[in-house]
Amino acid sequence: MTVRLTLVPPATSDALREVRFDDDGPLDPAGLARAEALAAVVAPATRAYASPSARCLGTARALGLRAGPVAALAGCAMGRWRGRTLDDVAAAEEAALAAWLSDPEAAPHGGESLRDLRVRVGAWLDALREGSGRVTAVVEPDVVRAATVHALGVPDAVARRLDVRPLTAVHLSGRTGRWNLRVGEPLTG
């Protein structure tokens, strides 16, 4: 049995445009319009899921997916950095930010480390292999990175080197204990 999983990062929001750690704000009007315009080209799925954030759930609705929120697919818990810009954190907590950027096990913000995120998302991904069919998940960019790193079995630090663009498709197909990856297709017809 093969699972064909498509991971879709959400449309744009103010947090993304401002290079700010997400604070669960909604999609911006341009992001919502772009997602609605792409609804016709999203392949049908037997199962659909979403990160529980407002922007992922909003993107899923705009794409015409009946996706339920899954706690295991939540973005990385950023603790006291939530809602702050990267520049603000760099100015106020330079050493803490440097530690977070260089060490996947670090969580100086009081939230979750990138390793913990990868383990959580990886457990969901591994459980998903027990089924079959087409699955679509609208998930935060860091969840896409975590799933990709887990699927490929590469070091957690590789996640920092993966750029994830809004409303693109990352495809994973899995069976018999392994995943294959097809990356970065635009959601256009």
Side-chain angles (χ1 to χ4, degrees):
M1 298 193 317
T2 299
V3 173
R4 297 188 189 306
L5 171 63
T6 300
L7 299 168
V8 178
T12 56
S13 66
D14 288 342
L16 182 64
R17 290 187 191 282
E18 297 169 3
V19 191
R20 181 168 35 92
F21 293 103
D22 190 44
D23 57 358
D24 202 25
L27 298 174
D28 63 27
L32 179 60
R34 177 87 175 113
E36 288 171 340
L38 293 172
V41 299
V42 174
T46 55
R47 294 175 281 168
Y49 304 102
S51 293
S53 67
R55 69 182 180 178
C56 286
L57 291 168
T59 298
R61 277 190 304 275
L63 292 172
L65 297 170
R66 298 173 88 176
V70 176
L73 297 178
C76 191
M78 295 309 297
R80 69 178 176 277
W81 293 355
R82 180 181 168 148
R84 294 172 65 187
T85 66
L86 191 58
D87 287 344
D88 175 48
V89 172
E93 300 183 51
E94 182 178 358
L97 182 62
W100 181 73
L101 289 171
S102 64
D103 181 1
E105 294 185 45
H109 45 64
E112 184 176 34
S113 73
L114 291 183
R115 170 146 309 140
D116 291 341
L117 172 68
R118 196 256 317 140
V119 167
R120 173 169 49 85
V121 171
W124 178 85
L125 191 61
D126 289 344
L128 190 65
R129 277 197 309 225
E130 295 173 9
S132 64
R134 292 192 178 279
V135 179
T136 300
V138 178
V139 295
E140 295 294 342
D142 55 356
V143 173
V144 173
R145 289 182 195 97
T148 302
V149 164
H150 182 79
L152 295 177
V154 297
D156 292 320
V158 171
R160 296 250 186 255
R161 309 224 24 203
L162 301 175
D163 287 332
V164 178
R165 298 178 51 87
L167 295 174
T168 55
V170 173
H171 301 283
L172 295 172
S173 59
R175 67 175 167 187
T176 62
R178 70 171 228 181
W179 289 97
N180 293 322
L181 171 68
R182 188 174 67 200
V183 295
E185 292 182 353
L187 289 176
T188 58

